[in-house]
Amino acid sequence: MALTETNKIETNKFELTVQVGPEEFEKALERAYRKNVKRINVPGFRKGKAPRKMVEKLYGEGVFFEDAINELYPDALADAIKEAKLEVVARPQVEAREVAKDKGFTFVATCVVKPEVTVGEYKGIEVEKKVKTVTDEDVAKRIDAMRGRNARLLDITDRPAQKGDSVTFDFDGSVDGVPFDGGKAEKFNLELGSGQFIPGFEEQVENHAIGEEFDVNVTFPEDYHAEELKGKAAVFRCKIHEIKAKELPELDDEFAKDVSEFDTLEELRNDIRGKMTEQAEKAAADGVENQLIDKVIEGMQAEIPQEMNEARIDDMVRDFQYRLQSQGLNIDAYLQYTGMDPAAFRQTFEEQAKKQVKIRLALEKIVELENIVPSDEDLEEEYKKIAEGYKMSAEEIKKVIPHEDFVKDMSVNKAIELIKNTAKITETTAE
């Protein structure tokens, strides 16, 4: 392999011309022949036994060119990028040229590279840390939620449905007298006031009794996920079969024993207050970090190639798909349900992806300026933490996480710590 030419064709984009010699090419052609010959029929020879020259004569000299090129170019490209000292941030576009058995082949790779980055002040940034004080009312709301989760459902037969009740009912919806997909169900369970249905629906179910048939008139929101229903007036014919009301448990020591490891209600309240205080502190710390990062990227300058943003969107889409799969769903079903096409779906990640790319570039620049290098002890400690989380050994984790990427991530984390440790933080109480 020989890198014969390196040209900067525009900002953050280089074109590499790479020559693969005839000897390397010939060896790859022979490997391609041996891989494919068993599938090739040549008159006068048993299947898989035809000599390479006969195959090339029958099917053309270039019959194995594509396989050979595909085998050779990835390593040749990696070597060329290394020789050119480029930090490539997106998959290069490769085009083969001048292919011949006696000369090898040449290919041209268009590479998008990491942009030049400058950052403003990142030490001594002034921010405000707002810590929410946990009140008695906050604790009471948390306990009320626990009471709700432990409530008994009682059958109601002597009154109409009211907010907070769970009703089992049929509904059959139509727009201009025409039924629509998803507008009909039988024996559907709904907690009135939960906001599960579109605005105005649940309120109209209230005050109706078991066996009663009635119409619910609503208008679909303009931002409704189904395009054909946006802003449309609909009528739902409904019939209630069951009404159940929640009976909350008494708020006493027995309740505390039933829902927790504590013996008294006071102990439960103190535990809840402590946990909520920890959560409030963490939220405040996260808020400080977000403020600091936002100020760092405000002072950053770089011509970021769109390919970097697209690559980050690709990662986010894949992560989303994995989460759907873990729930037994797939992306096609999700898009159908939300009424989005693939382009619109990708666009939902665009703003977040652009910000994440900016953050990473800014932090990597700080790593460079501060010459941040995590120690071996830091790396080992982080390997252990990850291993514990996945219930694996540190050595197993090392095998699945590329070392270079791991060091970069650790360096970026240390850059964040540097920014936080040098910041000027004023603590206030949030309302």
Side-chain angles (χ1 to χ4, degrees), residues 12 23 84 161 171 334 356 406 416:
N12 303 320
E23 290 185 9
F171 61 85
Y334 177 82
Q356 289 182 5
F406 190 68
I416 295 174

Side-chain angles (χ1 to χ4, degrees), residues 307-324:
E307 289 86 349
M308 287 191 75
N309 298 326
E310 293 297 331
R312 183 65 194 122
I313 292 173
D314 289 341
D315 292 339
M316 296 170 77
V317 168
R318 277 193 294 272
D319 289 344
F320 190 86
Q321 289 175 319
Y322 292 147
R323 291 197 298 273
L324 284 178

Side-chain angles (χ1 to χ4, degrees), residues 381-394 397:
E381 186 62 30
E382 189 63 21
Y383 276 128
K384 288 179 183 177
K385 287 181 183 177
I386 296 173
E388 289 172 2
Y390 284 95
K391 293 181 171 54
M392 299 169 64
S393 70
I397 294 295

Side-chain angles (χ1 to χ4, degrees), residues 265-336:
L265 185 59
E266 189 61 26
E267 288 176 311
L268 175 60
R269 285 197 177 102
N270 291 337
D271 180 70
I272 290 173
R273 185 183 297 276
K275 288 177 178 175
M276 293 184 73
T277 300
E278 288 178 7
Q279 292 166 357
E281 177 61 33
K282 185 180 184 305
D286 290 343
V288 165
E289 182 172 314
N290 291 335
Q291 289 179 69
L292 291 170
I293 294 298
D294 284 344
K295 291 196 174 185
V296 168
I297 62 175
E298 281 174 14
M300 163 190 158
Q301 291 184 346
E303 291 187 45
I304 301 174
Q306 180 59 23
E307 289 86 349
M308 287 191 75
N309 298 326
E310 293 297 331
R312 183 65 194 122
I313 292 173
D314 289 341
D315 292 339
M316 296 170 77
V317 168
R318 277 193 294 272
D319 289 344
F320 190 86
Q321 289 175 319
Y322 292 147
R323 291 197 298 273
L324 284 178
Q325 289 170 6
S326 70
Q327 299 169 27
L329 303 173
N330 61 61
I331 191 65
D332 291 335
Y334 177 82
L335 292 178
Q336 185 176 5

Side-chain angles (χ1 to χ4, degrees), residues 53-68:
K53 287 184 179 180
M54 292 300 298
V55 176
E56 291 175 337
K57 183 176 180 180
L58 182 62
Y59 292 98
E61 184 183 63
V63 63
F64 300 119
F65 280 8
E66 184 176 354
D67 279 357

Side-chain angles (χ1 to χ4, degrees), residues 149-162:
R149 290 194 296 271
N150 288 274
R152 289 197 305 156
L153 288 177
L154 303 178
D155 287 319
I156 300 298
T157 58
D158 58 351
R159 65 166 173 79
Q162 61 187 33

Side-chain angles (χ1 to χ4, degrees), residues 130-243:
K130 296 181 179 180
V131 184
K132 184 182 184 307
T133 300
V134 178
T135 64
D136 292 342
E137 184 180 357
D138 295 327
V139 175
K141 286 180 179 179
R142 185 69 60 89
I143 290 179
D144 283 343
M146 295 174 71
R147 291 178 75 197
R149 290 194 296 271
N150 288 274
R152 289 197 305 156
L153 288 177
L154 303 178
D155 287 319
I156 300 298
T157 58
D158 58 351
R159 65 166 173 79
Q162 61 187 33
K163 187 175 182 179
D165 289 343
S166 290
V167 297
T168 300
F169 72 119
D170 303 335
F171 61 85
D172 190 356
S174 61
V175 172
D176 297 328
V178 180
F180 54 88
D181 289 342
K184 182 177 181 179
E186 295 181 355
K187 302 292 181 67
F188 190 90
N189 186 260
L190 171 68
E191 181 181 335
L192 300 180
S194 64
Q196 186 176 349
F197 278 31
I198 61 175
F201 189 104
E202 295 172 27
E203 292 86 344
Q204 294 181 60
V205 178
E206 295 175 20
N207 300 316
H208 291 285
I210 292 173
E212 188 175 346
E213 296 187 20
F214 55 94
D215 288 342
V216 168
N217 295 277
V218 291
T219 300
F220 284 98
E222 293 293 342
D223 60 352
Y224 193 66
H225 61 78
E227 188 69 32
E228 69 277 9
L229 296 177
K230 289 181 177 179
K232 295 290 182 65
V235 178
F236 289 84
R237 188 65 178 166
C238 302
K239 181 179 180 180
I240 295 179
H241 296 288
E242 290 182 345
I243 302 172

